[in-house]
Amino acid sequence: MADSSQVIDWGEAMQQCGDDEEFLRELLVDLRTESEQQIANIQGIIQSPPANPYEGIMRSAHMLKGASANLMCNQLRQASLNLEEAARRANQQGVQAAYGELQMAFTNYVQFLGSIGL
């Protein structure tokens, strides 16, 4: 697993939640669920691309970027940003590489959640 400080800035996330750890923990679980859905959507687009696959990838990556940024989940936010930018450029190789980076960031995020009992 990546260093937890790469996965989330806990202090900043707590500030965002008014120092309410229970609330933050609920939001982190919600982010996991949303991330699973958006990553599955991206994977579906990559596996069976529609006429313009980049629009859907860009939209899902943008949603992930915003949600992870709000909770100071920096690695997930950066990977989502990289994927969004690759899709915006319609760069197939870039999308594949950034999607791999996103999968790794999400794995690290899930492992982090496990380490705090979520």
Side-chain angles (χ1 to χ4, degrees):
M1 180 176 90
D3 180 353
S4 65
S5 67
Q6 293 175 343
V7 176
I8 185 172
D9 183 330
W10 188 262
E12 287 291 319
M14 283 291 289
Q15 282 186 339
Q16 288 290 93
C17 294
D19 291 322
D20 184 341
E21 185 173 344
E22 184 178 334
F23 181 53
L24 174 57
R25 292 167 73 87
E26 289 175 25
L27 292 175
L28 292 172
V29 170
D30 290 346
L31 177 59
R32 178 179 55 205
T33 302
E34 179 65 25
S35 297
E36 288 169 342
Q37 293 169 351
Q38 294 305 324
I39 290 170
N41 184 49
I42 293 166
Q43 183 177 13
I45 292 170
I46 289 171
Q47 289 176 343
S48 300
N52 180 8
Y54 300 110
E55 184 66 32
I57 292 170
M58 206 168 41
R59 190 172 26 254
S60 288
H62 182 79
M63 291 174 70
L64 280 173
K65 179 185 74 177
S68 57
N70 287 337
L71 293 175
M72 305 303 157
C73 296
N74 299 320
Q75 188 180 47
L76 197 54
R77 181 200 57 79
Q78 185 62 52
S80 299
L81 172 64
N82 293 346
L83 181 56
E84 181 183 19
E85 289 176 349
R88 182 174 290 115
R89 291 188 310 269
N91 178 334
Q92 185 176 4
Q93 281 186 302
V95 164
Q96 290 289 344
Y99 179 64
E101 178 186 352
L102 178 61
Q103 289 177 305
M104 180 58 67
F106 182 65
T107 296
N108 289 339
Y109 178 72
V110 169
Q111 289 175 346
F112 168 76
L113 292 182
S115 76
I116 62 168
L118 296 177

